[in-house]
Amino acid sequence: MVSPVSFVSLNLLRALQLLGLNHIDQELKGLALAYGNLSGIEIGNWVDSMIGGEIVIIDQGRAPEVSEAHPAKGKAFQTTELVGRAFERNISEIWSWLMKDDVLSIGVYGIGGVGKTSLLRHINDQLLQRPSSFQNVFWITVTQDFSIYKLQNLIAKAVDLDLSNEEDEKKRAVKLSNGLIAKKKFVLILDDLWNHFSPEKVGVPVGVDGCKLILTSRSLRVCRQMCCQEKIKVEPLSEDEAWTLFMEKLGINVELPSEVIEIAKSVAKECTGLPLWIITMAGSMRQVDDIGQWRNALEKLKEKKIGKGDMEADIFKIIEFSYMNLNDSALQQAFLYCALFPVDSGISREDLVEYMIVEGIVAKRKSRQAESDKGAMLNKLENACLIESCTREGYRCVRMNTLVRDMAIKIQKVNSQAMVESGAQLEKLPDIEKWTEDLVRVSLMKNYLTEIPASYSPRCPNLSTLLLSQNYMLRSIEGSFFTQLNGLAVLDLSNTGIKSLPGSISNLVCLISLLLRRCQQLRHVPTLAKLTALKKLDLVYTQLEELPEGMKLLSNLRYLDLSHTRLKQLSAGILPKLCRLQVLRVLLSSETQVTLKGEEVACLKRLEALECNFCDLIEFSKYVKSWEDTQPPRAYYFIVGPAVPSLSGIHKTELNNTVRLCNCSINIEADLVTLPKTIQALEIVQCHDMTSLCAVSSMKHAIKLKSLVIWDCNGIECLLSLSRISADTLQSLETLCLSSLKF
C-alpha cells in the first residue's frame, strides 16, 4: 500500500514517541496509546489515516482553521492604527457608502499630508478581509504627469491585462472595460488624482455589476469634476489628537522632563494637525531629552515654515529638516536611495541592503553578514518615520510616503546629480539633453521602454548607477549607449526582455555590480575579462548555456548567482579562481543540472551562503568534511544526486540550512552520508536502498534538525530505532513528513 502524503506537526515529546516506534506496520495504535500523549480516538484516527493513505494534518492543541470564503483579491497594506475620532468617522462613513448600491463613486479630498492615503489603505485592507462585498480591489497610485494613456496602462497592469499591442485609446478603453467587467464586483481606488478624466474614455465601467470608484485628491474641484456622488474632506487632527500621535511616534518609554514636554507640545502644535508632519517631526526627535536640542528644533521648525497658504511647501521643509537631523551621511544616502524606486512600491529589505552594499553606502566590513547587519540603518530610517514597513508576497519590505519621496528626489536633484523617472510609464528614454555630465544616479525602473537606439550615446562621465530594471518590453540595447559611461559602477537590467548585451559592456572597467536577474530571453553576455573590479554578478533565470568569457579573471567577485540558468557545464578550475566569493548560488533544474566538485567548492574559504548541486554522496561528503578545517557557510541549500521536484509545501526559503538527498544509495554498510551539524531540514527522496534512518549515522550529530521529509523511498522498513540513535538527536524536530512510502 502507498500512502500519498502524511504530514505531522510535532513537539519534542510527540516526535520522540512516534519516531520511537519500530516497524510502521506493527501495532501502532497500542504502542502509541501506551505513551499516553494523545487520546485513543486521536491517535487511532491518525494511524487509520496514515495506513489508509489519506492526507492528515495534526497540530497539537489547535483545531484546524477553516476558511469560510476566499479572500478578495488585491494588494494589502497592513497599515498602522489611525489616530483621531475624525478618522474613525470617515472610515465608517466611507464604508457605509460602499455598502449602498446607489453610491458608485466616492471622493476623498484634503491637503497633502493630512492622511487621505492612510485612510483609504485602511478601507482597502478592510475590503480584502470581507470578500462577500467585493471580489477584487484594485489600488492605483496616479502619477502627477497624468494622461489617459498612462492611466490605462496602470489599471491594465493591476488587472493583469496586456494593452501593449494596442495604441488607439478608444480601443484600449473597450478592452480595459471588458477586462474589468470580467473581474465581477470590484472597487477601483485611485490615489492622488491631480486632474479629472472621463471614466468611459479611460475604460472604467463605474456602476456595471456594482463596480465602484474611490479617489483621493488634494482638490475638491477634481472630486466634483469626476462627478463623485459622495465627497468627504479629511481634516487635520485636533490639538489633543496631534499631541497623542506625536507622543506615540516619539516612542519614549520614560517621561520627559516637564520643561521639555512644554517645548515638545509647541513643536507638535507647529505641525498644524497634519499626521505626516507630526510623524516626521516626532521621528526626528526620538531619544532626545536634552532641552537645548528641543529648543533648537522648535526654532528651526519655525524658520522652515513658510506660512499659511503653502502647506505642502511647509511639509517639504519639515522632511528636509528630518533628513538633515539624521546627522549620518550613510543614513542620509540610504534615505535618498529609497527614492530611486517607483512610487508606492514595496522595496524588499533584503534587495535594498544588497544595493546599498554594492553602492558602498554600507561601510565595508569583514563579512557580508556583518555588512547585511548594517542594514539596521533601515530600522533607523523607520524609527525616524522617513520610511515605513510593509509586506509584499510574504517578504519584508519598506516603502516611502509620496511626499517624503518627492522631497528625497528634490534633494538628489541639487546640482543635477540624479534623474529619477521610475514608474513614470516612459516609452522612450528621456531627452538626451537631460543626461548631463553631473549625473551620478539615473533610475528608469518600471517603465515601458522597448529599445535603446544607436542615436543615444549620453556623455555622463560621473554616472555611477543606472537602474533599468522592470522594463519588461526592453528588447535591445545598442552598444553606443555605454561608450561614454566609463564611470558606471552599478548596472541593473533585471526583468527586461534583452536577448544579448552589447560588446561595449566589456569596456566598463569600473563596473562593480552587473544585475541581469530574470532576463528570461538573455542568451549572450560578452567577455567580462576586463571587469576585474566586478563584485556582484547576478544571472539567475537567464537562458545562458555557457558562462561569459573571462570569468576566471574576476578575482574580486563576492556574489555570483547562476541559479535556474541553462548552463551545461561549469569548467574545472573556475571556482578556485573566485577565491573571494561570499555568496554562490548554482542550483539548476534537472534538465540542465550542473554539479560541483567537493574539493573545488572547498577552495572557497570565505563562503557565507551556498546553494548548489553535488553529483553524489562522495562529492557532497568531501565538501562537508572540509568544514573541519575552515568556517562553514552560514546558510546553505544542497541537492545531492539527480534533482527532482520538491514536495509541495516544503520550500527552501522556510529554513536556512537544507539538504536534499535524491536517488542516492543510502545503506548502513556503506555509510556514505556526512550531514552538516548545522542542518535544519533534511529531505530524502527516491532513495530506495534506505531501509531506516539508522543508515545515516551522522544523524546523531544533527541536533538542530527542525524538518524531516522522507518521500517515495520504497525500501523503508522502519523510521529509526532509539537504541541506535539518541533521543537528543530529535530535540529540535518540529515537522515530520512521510509521503508515498510502501509498507
Side-chain angles (χ1 to χ4, degrees):
M1 183 181 296
V2 177
S3 172
V5 182
S6 295
F7 285 97
V8 192
S9 211
L10 305 166
N11 61 14
L12 170 60
L13 180 58
R14 191 182 299 175
L16 295 179
Q17 291 168 351
L18 293 175
L19 290 175
L21 303 178
N22 287 326
H23 292 279
I24 294 176
D25 56 353
Q26 289 180 353
E27 298 291 326
L28 286 178
K29 295 183 184 180
L31 287 170
L33 281 170
Y35 289 100
N37 195 43
L38 293 173
S39 70
I41 294 175
E42 287 174 319
I43 197 67
N45 290 340
W46 179 77
V47 175
D48 286 340
S49 297
M50 185 175 184
I51 294 175
E54 297 181 7
I55 298 175
V56 60
I57 301 176
I58 296 179
D59 194 348
Q60 185 177 8
R62 280 197 317 187
E65 295 181 2
V66 180
S67 176
E68 296 181 356
H70 295 292
K73 294 180 180 179
K75 178 175 67 174
F77 289 99
Q78 296 185 338
T79 50
T80 55
E81 186 175 347
L82 294 174
V83 174
R85 292 183 295 276
F87 276 109
E88 295 175 2
R89 290 194 301 271
N90 290 342
I91 287 177
S92 177
E93 192 155 11
I94 293 172
W95 189 262
S96 69
W97 291 335
L98 282 170
M99 296 302 107
K100 293 180 180 179
D101 293 337
D102 58 337
V103 177
L104 305 178
S105 56
I106 301 169
V108 180
Y109 67 98
I111 62 176
V114 78
K116 302 182 299 295
T117 299
S118 297
L119 180 67
L120 282 197
R121 281 177 176 170
H122 277 264
I123 293 291
N124 175 91
D125 289 357
Q126 286 184 19
L127 287 168
L128 293 179
Q129 295 302 316
R130 302 182 186 182
S132 58
S133 302
F134 298 92
Q135 295 180 16
N136 293 276
V137 184
F138 303 116
W139 180 285
I140 309 294
T141 301
V142 185
T143 56
Q144 195 166 344
D145 54 342
F146 168 88
S147 73
I148 296 295
Y149 192 88
K150 288 183 177 182
L151 184 56
Q152 287 175 330
N153 282 339
L154 287 171
I155 299 174
K157 184 174 182 180
V159 300
D160 296 322
L161 183 66
D162 186 7
L163 296 179
S164 60
N165 295 324
E166 185 58 70
E167 294 296 324
D168 184 82
E169 282 187 1
K170 292 182 179 178
K171 292 180 179 179
R172 286 162 60 90
V174 172
K175 286 186 177 181
L176 187 55
S177 179
N178 292 336
L180 283 166
I181 291 172
K183 297 293 183 179
K184 307 297 182 182
K185 294 182 66 175
F186 69 86
V187 175
L188 176 64
I189 300 175
L190 301 180
D191 185 38
D192 204 16
L193 189 65
W194 289 72
N195 297 292
H196 73 284
F197 65 90
S198 166
E200 293 78 13
K201 193 173 181 180
V202 171
V204 178
V206 178
V208 178
D209 290 334
C211 301
K212 302 197 176 191
L213 172 68
I214 311 178
L215 61 90
T216 74
S217 178
R218 301 178 193 185
S219 167
L220 172 60
R221 177 181 55 83
V222 171
C223 294
R224 288 172 173 167
Q225 290 173 327
M226 288 296 299
C227 299
C228 293
Q229 292 170 281
E230 299 290 353
K231 296 171 283 292
I232 192 167
K233 183 179 182 181
V234 181
E235 300 281 3
L237 298 176
S238 68
E239 190 171 322
D240 288 343
E241 291 170 341
W243 175 242
T244 298
L245 178 60
F246 188 86
M247 287 301 293
E248 177 187 320
K249 296 303 178 181
L250 205 58
I252 296 178
N253 296 321
V254 296
E255 291 188 7
L256 290 172
S258 57
E259 61 271 21
V260 171
I261 287 180
E262 291 306 312
I263 300 174
K265 284 184 177 180
S266 297
V267 170
K269 189 175 181 179
E270 288 291 328
C271 296
T272 61
L274 297 183
L276 175 60
W277 195 335
I278 295 165
I279 290 169
T280 304
M281 273 305 301
S284 69
M285 297 305 294
R286 277 183 175 166
Q287 298 180 338
V288 176
D289 57 8
D290 178 70
I291 190 170
Q293 288 181 261
W294 276 96
R295 283 175 179 155
N296 185 51
L298 180 59
E299 290 304 314
K300 286 186 176 180
L301 179 57
K302 290 179 177 179
E303 291 172 7
K304 293 287 184 184
K305 287 188 65 176
I306 295 172
K308 293 182 179 180
D310 203 351
M311 196 72 74
E312 187 172 307
D314 286 352
I315 292 176
F316 280 143
K317 293 291 185 180
I318 299 309
I319 296 169
E320 183 182 26
F321 169 79
S322 296
Y323 164 77
M324 297 301 296
N325 210 39
L326 291 172
N327 292 322
D328 183 325
S329 60
L331 208 53
Q332 290 173 336
Q333 286 299 309
F335 166 70
L336 297 178
Y337 207 89
C338 293
L340 300 179
F341 295 82
V343 62
D344 208 31
S345 172
I347 314 163
S348 163
R349 290 178 69 99
E350 182 179 349
D351 290 347
L352 191 52
V353 170
E354 280 292 330
Y355 276 112
M356 293 193 299
I357 289 174
V358 170
E359 292 273 4
I361 295 173
V362 174
K364 186 176 180 181
R365 305 288 288 274
K366 184 177 181 180
S367 69
R368 194 172 194 86
Q369 177 61 37
E371 289 174 338
S372 296
D373 290 342
K374 286 289 285 184
M377 64 173 55
L378 294 181
N379 296 334
K380 293 181 180 179
L381 290 178
E382 189 177 343
N383 290 337
C385 300
L386 292 172
I387 61 175
E388 58 183 88
S389 290
C390 63
T391 58
R392 187 186 66 189
E393 298 176 357
Y395 291 94
R396 294 178 64 212
C397 299
V398 299
R399 66 179 171 224
M400 269 187 158
N401 175 279
T402 303
L403 288 176
V404 175
R405 179 178 179 270
D406 289 347
M407 185 67 240
I409 292 174
K410 282 188 176 183
I411 293 172
Q412 292 188 82
K413 284 185 176 179
V414 175
N415 301 322
S416 303
Q417 290 190 336
M419 177 165 57
V420 183
E421 296 286 351
S422 53
Q425 301 189 61
L426 301 180
E427 296 183 0
K428 61 180 182 179
L429 288 174
D431 294 339
I432 197 69
E433 293 79 15
K434 294 184 178 180
W435 296 78
T436 64
E437 293 188 8
D438 296 324
L439 280 177
V440 176
R441 288 176 181 153
V442 170
S443 177
L444 302 175
M445 299 171 65
K446 203 175 181 180
N447 281 298
Y448 295 94
L449 304 177
T450 57
E451 64 172 345
I452 298 180
S455 58
Y456 264 86
S457 182
R459 187 173 184 277
C460 302
N462 296 308
L463 187 64
S464 66
T465 300
L466 177 58
L467 307 179
L468 285 162
S469 61
Q470 299 181 65
N471 280 279
Y472 296 99
M473 295 185 289
L474 181 60
R475 297 286 184 266
S476 64
I477 304 175
E478 292 297 327
S480 58
F481 181 68
F482 294 107
T483 54
Q484 299 188 83
L485 303 181
N486 299 322
L488 201 59
V490 178
L491 175 59
D492 189 353
L493 289 164
S494 302
N495 291 287
T496 60
I498 55 174
K499 296 181 179 179
S500 64
L501 288 180
S504 55
I505 290 284
S506 301
N507 296 317
L508 299 177
V509 296
C510 295
L511 206 61
I512 295 174
S513 178
L514 179 57
L515 308 178
L516 301 166
R517 189 177 189 85
R518 293 187 180 276
C519 293
Q520 300 190 36
Q521 305 298 319
L522 183 64
R523 297 181 180 275
H524 173 69
V525 174
T527 178
L528 305 179
K530 295 181 182 179
L531 309 188
T532 55
L534 201 63
K535 293 182 180 180
K536 182 171 183 176
L537 179 60
D538 193 338
L539 297 168
V540 66
Y541 282 110
T542 60
Q543 296 296 309
L544 293 182
E545 295 184 358
E546 57 184 26
L547 286 178
E549 292 182 15
M551 286 293 296
K552 287 186 178 181
L553 300 176
L554 304 183
S555 58
N556 281 308
L557 207 60
R558 265 72 164 175
Y559 183 112
L560 177 61
D561 196 337
L562 303 172
S563 297
H564 306 291
T565 58
R566 304 187 68 82
L567 285 180
K568 296 178 179 177
Q569 64 175 355
L570 194 63
S571 301
I574 286 183
L575 285 183
K577 297 292 185 181
L578 308 179
C579 56
R580 287 186 171 87
L581 272 180
Q582 296 171 320
V583 177
L584 174 62
R585 297 190 173 104
V586 203
L587 279 180
L588 304 177
S589 64
S590 55
E591 309 92 65
T592 58
Q593 184 171 312
V594 172
T595 58
L596 304 186
K597 293 289 186 181
E599 59 269 21
E600 287 207 346
V601 185
C603 293
L604 304 175
K605 306 293 186 182
R606 302 185 184 186
L607 278 181
E608 298 178 38
L610 173 62
E611 297 177 5
C612 68
N613 303 67
F614 291 99
C615 62
D616 54 36
L617 287 171
I618 295 176
E619 293 298 330
F620 168 65
S621 295
K622 279 182 185 177
Y623 176 59
V624 175
K625 288 177 180 177
S626 74
W627 293 1
E628 297 173 1
D629 303 319
T630 188
Q631 183 73 21
R634 175 182 49 82
Y636 52 80
Y637 188 89
F638 300 135
I639 297 178
V640 184
V644 296
S646 183
L647 185 62
S648 177
I650 305 297
H651 304 288
K652 73 182 184 70
T653 54
E654 293 178 358
L655 296 167
N656 283 328
N657 299 333
T658 301
V659 176
R660 298 188 71 223
L661 306 178
C662 308
N663 287 288
C664 295
S665 179
I666 301 175
N667 56 71
I668 294 176
E669 289 75 21
D671 194 17
L672 295 175
V673 186
T674 304
L675 293 178
K677 294 180 181 179
T678 53
I679 185 173
Q680 292 182 325
L682 173 62
E683 188 171 348
I684 303 174
V685 185
Q686 297 177 5
C687 297
H688 301 303
D689 291 346
M690 188 178 75
T691 58
S692 167
L693 279 174
C694 296
V696 186
S697 62
S698 54
M699 277 283 295
K700 61 188 176 185
H701 301 301
I703 59 175
K704 296 183 179 180
L705 192 68
K706 294 182 179 180
S707 173
L708 175 61
V709 176
I710 303 177
W711 175 26
D712 192 17
C713 297
N714 295 340
I716 287 290
E717 296 175 357
C718 68
L719 293 178
L720 56 81
S721 171
L722 293 181
S723 63
R724 289 177 176 265
I725 296 179
S726 169
D728 291 341
T729 301
L730 308 173
Q731 62 183 336
S732 299
L733 194 68
E734 296 173 356
T735 302
L736 168 66
C737 172
L738 306 176
S739 172
S740 302
L741 304 181
K742 292 183 178 180
F743 39 83

PDB file of all heavy atoms in Angstrom, residues 465-484:
ATOM      1  N   THR A 465      25.472  54.933 -11.190  1.00  0.00           N
ATOM      2  CA  THR A 465      24.363  53.996 -11.012  1.00  0.00           C
ATOM      3  C   THR A 465      23.327  54.199 -12.109  1.00  0.00           C
ATOM      4  O   THR A 465      22.844  55.310 -12.311  1.00  0.00           O
ATOM      5  CB  THR A 465      23.695  54.202  -9.639  1.00  0.00           C
ATOM      6  OG1 THR A 465      24.654  53.981  -8.609  1.00  0.00           O
ATOM      7  CG2 THR A 465      22.539  53.233  -9.452  1.00  0.00           C
ATOM      8  N   LEU A 466      22.994  53.110 -12.804  1.00  0.00           N
ATOM      9  CA  LEU A 466      21.966  53.144 -13.841  1.00  0.00           C
ATOM     10  C   LEU A 466      21.012  51.976 -13.608  1.00  0.00           C
ATOM     11  O   LEU A 466      21.396  50.812 -13.708  1.00  0.00           O
ATOM     12  CB  LEU A 466      22.594  53.043 -15.227  1.00  0.00           C
ATOM     13  CG  LEU A 466      21.625  52.990 -16.420  1.00  0.00           C
ATOM     14  CD1 LEU A 466      20.721  54.221 -16.436  1.00  0.00           C
ATOM     15  CD2 LEU A 466      22.395  52.860 -17.732  1.00  0.00           C
ATOM     16  N   LEU A 467      19.764  52.300 -13.251  1.00  0.00           N
ATOM     17  CA  LEU A 467      18.761  51.287 -12.931  1.00  0.00           C
ATOM     18  C   LEU A 467      17.706  51.257 -14.033  1.00  0.00           C
ATOM     19  O   LEU A 467      16.935  52.197 -14.199  1.00  0.00           O
ATOM     20  CB  LEU A 467      18.102  51.604 -11.579  1.00  0.00           C
ATOM     21  CG  LEU A 467      19.060  51.820 -10.398  1.00  0.00           C
ATOM     22  CD1 LEU A 467      18.275  52.149  -9.125  1.00  0.00           C
ATOM     23  CD2 LEU A 467      19.940  50.601 -10.174  1.00  0.00           C
ATOM     24  N   LEU A 468      17.678  50.156 -14.782  1.00  0.00           N
ATOM     25  CA  LEU A 468      16.746  49.983 -15.890  1.00  0.00           C
ATOM     26  C   LEU A 468      15.851  48.759 -15.693  1.00  0.00           C
ATOM     27  O   LEU A 468      15.192  48.319 -16.635  1.00  0.00           O
ATOM     28  CB  LEU A 468      17.519  49.833 -17.208  1.00  0.00           C
ATOM     29  CG  LEU A 468      18.136  51.114 -17.776  1.00  0.00           C
ATOM     30  CD1 LEU A 468      19.204  50.786 -18.799  1.00  0.00           C
ATOM     31  CD2 LEU A 468      17.072  51.998 -18.388  1.00  0.00           C
ATOM     32  N   SER A 469      15.815  48.231 -14.503  1.00  0.00           N
ATOM     33  CA  SER A 469      15.062  47.001 -14.248  1.00  0.00           C
ATOM     34  C   SER A 469      13.562  47.219 -14.413  1.00  0.00           C
ATOM     35  O   SER A 469      13.067  48.348 -14.350  1.00  0.00           O
ATOM     36  CB  SER A 469      15.354  46.482 -12.839  1.00  0.00           C
ATOM     37  OG  SER A 469      14.965  47.428 -11.870  1.00  0.00           O
ATOM     38  N   GLN A 470      12.846  46.125 -14.636  1.00  0.00           N
ATOM     39  CA  GLN A 470      11.391  46.101 -14.789  1.00  0.00           C
ATOM     40  C   GLN A 470      10.901  46.862 -16.013  1.00  0.00           C
ATOM     41  O   GLN A 470       9.747  47.279 -16.065  1.00  0.00           O
ATOM     42  CB  GLN A 470      10.686  46.614 -13.526  1.00  0.00           C
ATOM     43  CG  GLN A 470      10.983  45.773 -12.288  1.00  0.00           C
ATOM     44  CD  GLN A 470      10.259  46.274 -11.068  1.00  0.00           C
ATOM     45  OE1 GLN A 470       9.035  46.241 -11.011  1.00  0.00           O
ATOM     46  NE2 GLN A 470      11.012  46.740 -10.071  1.00  0.00           N
ATOM     47  N   ASN A 471      11.759  47.028 -16.997  1.00  0.00           N
ATOM     48  CA  ASN A 471      11.317  47.451 -18.322  1.00  0.00           C
ATOM     49  C   ASN A 471      11.124  46.166 -19.126  1.00  0.00           C
ATOM     50  O   ASN A 471      11.967  45.773 -19.934  1.00  0.00           O
ATOM     51  CB  ASN A 471      12.353  48.375 -18.969  1.00  0.00           C
ATOM     52  CG  ASN A 471      12.269  49.793 -18.466  1.00  0.00           C
ATOM     53  OD1 ASN A 471      11.438  50.582 -18.895  1.00  0.00           O
ATOM     54  ND2 ASN A 471      13.137  50.111 -17.503  1.00  0.00           N
ATOM     55  N   TYR A 472      10.011  45.519 -18.879  1.00  0.00           N
ATOM     56  CA  TYR A 472       9.808  44.160 -19.377  1.00  0.00           C
ATOM     57  C   TYR A 472       9.819  44.071 -20.899  1.00  0.00           C
ATOM     58  O   TYR A 472      10.122  43.013 -21.459  1.00  0.00           O
ATOM     59  CB  TYR A 472       8.481  43.601 -18.841  1.00  0.00           C
ATOM     60  CG  TYR A 472       8.461  43.458 -17.339  1.00  0.00           C
ATOM     61  CD1 TYR A 472       7.852  44.424 -16.538  1.00  0.00           C
ATOM     62  CD2 TYR A 472       9.072  42.375 -16.714  1.00  0.00           C
ATOM     63  CE1 TYR A 472       7.841  44.310 -15.154  1.00  0.00           C
ATOM     64  CE2 TYR A 472       9.068  42.255 -15.336  1.00  0.00           C
ATOM     65  CZ  TYR A 472       8.450  43.224 -14.558  1.00  0.00           C
ATOM     66  OH  TYR A 472       8.452  43.101 -13.186  1.00  0.00           O
ATOM     67  N   MET A 473       9.505  45.158 -21.576  1.00  0.00           N
ATOM     68  CA  MET A 473       9.440  45.122 -23.034  1.00  0.00           C
ATOM     69  C   MET A 473      10.736  45.574 -23.698  1.00  0.00           C
ATOM     70  O   MET A 473      10.815  45.653 -24.926  1.00  0.00           O
ATOM     71  CB  MET A 473       8.275  45.978 -23.528  1.00  0.00           C
ATOM     72  CG  MET A 473       6.923  45.431 -23.091  1.00  0.00           C
ATOM     73  SD  MET A 473       5.535  46.351 -23.795  1.00  0.00           S
ATOM     74  CE  MET A 473       5.658  47.888 -22.876  1.00  0.00           C
ATOM     75  N   LEU A 474      11.759  45.878 -22.905  1.00  0.00           N
ATOM     76  CA  LEU A 474      13.042  46.304 -23.460  1.00  0.00           C
ATOM     77  C   LEU A 474      13.728  45.112 -24.123  1.00  0.00           C
ATOM     78  O   LEU A 474      14.100  44.143 -23.454  1.00  0.00           O
ATOM     79  CB  LEU A 474      13.923  46.883 -22.351  1.00  0.00           C
ATOM     80  CG  LEU A 474      15.304  47.395 -22.766  1.00  0.00           C
ATOM     81  CD1 LEU A 474      15.175  48.513 -23.792  1.00  0.00           C
ATOM     82  CD2 LEU A 474      16.082  47.862 -21.544  1.00  0.00           C
ATOM     83  N   ARG A 475      13.896  45.179 -25.447  1.00  0.00           N
ATOM     84  CA  ARG A 475      14.418  44.041 -26.206  1.00  0.00           C
ATOM     85  C   ARG A 475      15.864  44.222 -26.645  1.00  0.00           C
ATOM     86  O   ARG A 475      16.603  43.239 -26.762  1.00  0.00           O
ATOM     87  CB  ARG A 475      13.550  43.799 -27.449  1.00  0.00           C
ATOM     88  CG  ARG A 475      12.105  43.419 -27.151  1.00  0.00           C
ATOM     89  CD  ARG A 475      12.007  41.992 -26.638  1.00  0.00           C
ATOM     90  NE  ARG A 475      10.613  41.590 -26.447  1.00  0.00           N
ATOM     91  CZ  ARG A 475       9.938  41.679 -25.319  1.00  0.00           C
ATOM     92  NH1 ARG A 475      10.551  42.183 -24.243  1.00  0.00           N
ATOM     93  NH2 ARG A 475       8.690  41.297 -25.217  1.00  0.00           N
ATOM     94  N   SER A 476      16.259  45.457 -26.917  1.00  0.00           N
ATOM     95  CA  SER A 476      17.606  45.647 -27.470  1.00  0.00           C
ATOM     96  C   SER A 476      18.255  46.920 -26.947  1.00  0.00           C
ATOM     97  O   SER A 476      17.584  47.916 -26.675  1.00  0.00           O
ATOM     98  CB  SER A 476      17.537  45.696 -29.005  1.00  0.00           C
ATOM     99  OG  SER A 476      16.782  46.820 -29.431  1.00  0.00           O
ATOM    100  N   ILE A 477      19.575  46.842 -26.809  1.00  0.00           N
ATOM    101  CA  ILE A 477      20.379  47.995 -26.387  1.00  0.00           C
ATOM    102  C   ILE A 477      21.561  48.102 -27.338  1.00  0.00           C
ATOM    103  O   ILE A 477      22.362  47.166 -27.458  1.00  0.00           O
ATOM    104  CB  ILE A 477      20.903  47.826 -24.947  1.00  0.00           C
ATOM    105  CG1 ILE A 477      19.746  47.595 -23.972  1.00  0.00           C
ATOM    106  CG2 ILE A 477      21.712  49.045 -24.524  1.00  0.00           C
ATOM    107  CD1 ILE A 477      20.205  47.312 -22.550  1.00  0.00           C
ATOM    108  N   GLU A 478      21.668  49.228 -28.040  1.00  0.00           N
ATOM    109  CA  GLU A 478      22.790  49.432 -28.944  1.00  0.00           C
ATOM    110  C   GLU A 478      24.063  49.731 -28.149  1.00  0.00           C
ATOM    111  O   GLU A 478      24.019  50.380 -27.100  1.00  0.00           O
ATOM    112  CB  GLU A 478      22.490  50.580 -29.914  1.00  0.00           C
ATOM    113  CG  GLU A 478      21.385  50.279 -30.903  1.00  0.00           C
ATOM    114  CD  GLU A 478      21.739  49.129 -31.840  1.00  0.00           C
ATOM    115  OE1 GLU A 478      22.942  48.993 -32.176  1.00  0.00           O
ATOM    116  OE2 GLU A 478      20.828  48.376 -32.228  1.00  0.00           O
ATOM    117  N   GLY A 479      25.171  49.278 -28.672  1.00  0.00           N
ATOM    118  CA  GLY A 479      26.443  49.420 -27.979  1.00  0.00           C
ATOM    119  C   GLY A 479      26.865  50.848 -27.739  1.00  0.00           C
ATOM    120  O   GLY A 479      27.577  51.145 -26.769  1.00  0.00           O
ATOM    121  N   SER A 480      26.414  51.773 -28.589  1.00  0.00           N
ATOM    122  CA  SER A 480      26.807  53.178 -28.445  1.00  0.00           C
ATOM    123  C   SER A 480      26.332  53.778 -27.130  1.00  0.00           C
ATOM    124  O   SER A 480      26.902  54.756 -26.647  1.00  0.00           O
ATOM    125  CB  SER A 480      26.239  53.993 -29.611  1.00  0.00           C
ATOM    126  OG  SER A 480      24.813  53.874 -29.653  1.00  0.00           O
ATOM    127  N   PHE A 481      25.288  53.172 -26.532  1.00  0.00           N
ATOM    128  CA  PHE A 481      24.720  53.742 -25.308  1.00  0.00           C
ATOM    129  C   PHE A 481      25.743  53.769 -24.172  1.00  0.00           C
ATOM    130  O   PHE A 481      25.744  54.686 -23.347  1.00  0.00           O
ATOM    131  CB  PHE A 481      23.492  52.928 -24.893  1.00  0.00           C
ATOM    132  CG  PHE A 481      22.811  53.432 -23.647  1.00  0.00           C
ATOM    133  CD1 PHE A 481      22.150  54.649 -23.639  1.00  0.00           C
ATOM    134  CD2 PHE A 481      22.835  52.690 -22.475  1.00  0.00           C
ATOM    135  CE1 PHE A 481      21.521  55.123 -22.493  1.00  0.00           C
ATOM    136  CE2 PHE A 481      22.213  53.148 -21.325  1.00  0.00           C
ATOM    137  CZ  PHE A 481      21.556  54.375 -21.329  1.00  0.00           C
ATOM    138  N   PHE A 482      26.630  52.788 -24.111  1.00  0.00           N
ATOM    139  CA  PHE A 482      27.554  52.675 -22.979  1.00  0.00           C
ATOM    140  C   PHE A 482      28.936  53.274 -23.242  1.00  0.00           C
ATOM    141  O   PHE A 482      29.770  53.311 -22.337  1.00  0.00           O
ATOM    142  CB  PHE A 482      27.733  51.202 -22.603  1.00  0.00           C
ATOM    143  CG  PHE A 482      26.482  50.552 -22.073  1.00  0.00           C
ATOM    144  CD1 PHE A 482      25.776  49.645 -22.849  1.00  0.00           C
ATOM    145  CD2 PHE A 482      26.002  50.861 -20.812  1.00  0.00           C
ATOM    146  CE1 PHE A 482      24.623  49.040 -22.369  1.00  0.00           C
ATOM    147  CE2 PHE A 482      24.846  50.267 -20.327  1.00  0.00           C
ATOM    148  CZ  PHE A 482      24.147  49.360 -21.110  1.00  0.00           C
ATOM    149  N   THR A 483      29.178  53.739 -24.459  1.00  0.00           N
ATOM    150  CA  THR A 483      30.546  54.132 -24.804  1.00  0.00           C
ATOM    151  C   THR A 483      31.063  55.333 -24.021  1.00  0.00           C
ATOM    152  O   THR A 483      32.275  55.484 -23.845  1.00  0.00           O
ATOM    153  CB  THR A 483      30.647  54.438 -26.317  1.00  0.00           C
ATOM    154  OG1 THR A 483      29.655  55.404 -26.665  1.00  0.00           O
ATOM    155  CG2 THR A 483      30.429  53.167 -27.131  1.00  0.00           C
ATOM    156  N   GLN A 484      30.157  56.202 -23.529  1.00  0.00           N
ATOM    157  CA  GLN A 484      30.598  57.375 -22.771  1.00  0.00           C
ATOM    158  C   GLN A 484      30.156  57.321 -21.308  1.00  0.00           C
ATOM    159  O   GLN A 484      30.088  58.340 -20.642  1.00  0.00           O
ATOM    160  CB  GLN A 484      30.065  58.655 -23.429  1.00  0.00           C
ATOM    161  CG  GLN A 484      30.545  58.865 -24.852  1.00  0.00           C
ATOM    162  CD  GLN A 484      30.156  60.216 -25.395  1.00  0.00           C
ATOM    163  OE1 GLN A 484      30.828  61.232 -25.152  1.00  0.00           O
ATOM    164  NE2 GLN A 484      29.060  60.254 -26.131  1.00  0.00           N
TER     165      GLN A 484
END
